[in-house]
């Protein structure tokens, strides 16, 4: 069984290991799959519907009194024909409401382009197999 989103997810993880360096922090957020029992367990633990596949934290602006802020970026991965669910659309609005960014990408090249556009320091190129 082909799983294009999972394959893309693993490609992105390999890319991030090379391309995103400290102080940038990232993690995967594997909330899909596993059936109804796992879904019920994650929901009981507080998983919010629509949470993106990956979370990226980057240094943000520093206030006048020296307080450093963190930028939050959510990255949702989709297959070529995949569309965001209603829960994902709602979560994108919630990210924006707290000053975060919610991105949707369908390829490794698109991930790189979106991160650079969002101001994330990317230290490798996705094209050509990084």
């Amino acid at each position: 069984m082909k799983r294009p989103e999972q394959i893309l997810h693993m490609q992105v993880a390999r890319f991030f290991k090379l391309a995103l360096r400290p102080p940038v922090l990232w993690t995967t957020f594997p909330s899909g799959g596993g059936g109804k029992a796992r879904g019920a367990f994650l929901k009981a633990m507080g998983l919010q519907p629509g949470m993106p596949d990956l979370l990226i934290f980057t240094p943000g602006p520093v206030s006048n009194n020296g307080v450093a802020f963190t930028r939050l970026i959510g990255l949702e991965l989709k297959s070529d024909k995949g569309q965001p669910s209603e829960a994902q659309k709602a979560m994108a609005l919630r990210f924006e409401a707290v000053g975060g960014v919610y991105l949707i990408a369908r390829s490794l090249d698109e991930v790189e382009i979106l991160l650079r556009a969002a101001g994330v320091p990317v230290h490798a190129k996705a094209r050509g197999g990084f």
Side-chain angles (χ1 to χ4, degrees):
M1 177 185 249
K2 290 186 178 182
R3 297 184 172 153
E5 286 183 20
Q6 288 178 335
I7 292 168
L8 176 58
H9 202 133
M10 290 185 286
Q11 291 172 339
V12 170
R14 286 193 306 269
F15 176 63
F16 279 11
K17 287 177 185 176
L18 295 172
L20 301 183
R21 298 180 185 160
V24 175
L25 174 66
W26 67 275
T27 189
T28 192
F29 202 85
S31 60
K36 289 183 182 181
R38 182 170 184 262
F41 180 70
L42 291 172
K43 183 177 179 179
M45 291 177 62
L47 176 63
Q48 299 295 306
M51 194 58 69
D53 295 316
L54 294 123
L55 299 174
I56 305 157
F57 304 88
T58 66
V62 177
S63 71
N64 290 340
N65 60 359
V67 176
F69 293 96
T70 300
R71 291 183 59 229
L72 170 61
I73 299 170
L75 178 60
E76 178 63 30
L77 302 173
K78 292 290 179 191
S79 66
D80 288 339
K81 297 178 183 177
Q83 296 298 317
S85 68
E86 291 304 315
Q88 290 166 337
K89 291 175 186 176
M91 184 58 70
L93 294 174
R94 292 180 71 189
F95 261 64
E96 291 172 11
V98 297
V101 178
Y102 193 103
L103 304 172
I104 298 174
R106 290 178 171 74
S107 71
L108 190 57
D109 287 338
E110 190 174 9
V111 167
E112 179 188 352
I113 290 165
L114 290 171
L115 290 182
R116 288 184 188 279
V120 177
V122 178
H123 300 280
K125 295 208 178 279
R127 187 165 294 246
F130 53 90

